[in-house]
Amino acid sequence: MSLSPRRLVAVAVAFAVGSLGLSSIPALAQSAPTTVPHLLVFTGTYGFRHDGIEEESAFLQQLARQTGEFTVEITGDPAVFTPALYQRIDGVVLLQTTGLGSSNSPLSTTQKQNFLDFFGCGGSLVGVHAAADSGGGWPAYDALLGSTGFDFHPHLSLEARENPLGPEAFNPSVLTDVTVDVDDPNHLATRPWQGFDNFRITEEIYRWKGNPRSDPNLHVLLSLDEESHYWRRSIGAGPSAGGMAPDFPNPVSNPFNNVPVTAFPDASPIAWVKPYGDHGARVFYTNLGHSMATWQRPDFQEHLYGGISWATASRPD
């Protein structure tokens, strides 16, 4: 059975209104097409599970309903990945998934191959935040997404030096305030930041096992300003808070942080797009989206909307 994406009229999912507003997202146009991409939003987690997946799923339902550019069905059941699924969808949104390639993954070898074949036949892929923490022992998945594999959470914000528990203790309120550079302000997914070189955001930024920029087909949209934070390998409570000592007890501002420069390239990619295979598949990934505070930001909402639109080619570049 062919695994190529379907092009049939889809029935819109039920409208679910969460706590996330869509004031900056355009409403359904009168001339909206009658045939729109239908996307599977998969939320299965076989490692860490992020809070807010239900609210984020409701946001995607609302976004689909309001824009009319795509429809969605949402599930966390891995049994959905059958050849029949790929006959009725045009793409997949991996929403905070973890461990798809790990030893905990319920996906069979056949399911994994069918998943890759779907994108090889032109299916669209959108990965949000923890989707890059899904490869594990599945290198072909990492190559599809473009991440080269999740390594660790690299940094503390410079403001963490004022942490009342000590600069090395875990404190979410000061953990991840960073500066994000806008590499391509003219892409659909970065239009919220047109006219800006960078922006500040409190987020959990991933460090990769390799450099995604080594993929010649990968086009970086956003990257990490290395001077806006400092980093270490261990995230957890320091001795003053009853925890274990970090690997690097005296971190300083990047790039002088006693960590091999070759392992952690400057301007580490945060969001990107890339083609995949020979049949026009489009991949969009954003590392943003860890916290609900990010999902409540209009610029992030437009960023995600633009990425989905680009990946599904539902509006012109």
Side-chain angles (χ1 to χ4, degrees), residues 134-199:
S134 289
W138 192 7
Y141 171 88
D142 291 328
L144 164 66
L145 191 65
S147 66
T148 73
F150 167 82
D151 194 4
F152 66 97
H153 304 309
H155 67 275
L156 300 175
S157 69
L158 297 180
E159 288 80 0
R161 298 178 189 279
E162 305 304 320
N163 186 344
L165 298 178
E168 281 298 289
F170 180 79
N171 186 337
S173 65
V174 294
L175 182 61
T176 53
D177 192 2
V178 298
T179 297
V180 174
D181 289 330
V182 182
D183 289 50
D184 181 358
N186 298 314
H187 194 275
L188 281 175
T190 56
R191 287 186 179 176
W193 303 293
Q194 278 190 331
F196 295 88
D197 294 329
N198 54 57
F199 60 93

Side-chain angles (χ1 to χ4, degrees), residues 29-45:
Q30 293 296 321
S31 59
T34 57
T35 301
V36 296
H38 184 56
L39 307 178
L40 173 75
V41 178
F42 188 66
T43 61
T45 55

Side-chain angles (χ1 to χ4, degrees), residues 119-141:
F119 301 107
C121 292
S124 301
L125 177 61
V126 172
V128 181
H129 189 62
D133 190 14
S134 289
W138 192 7
Y141 171 88

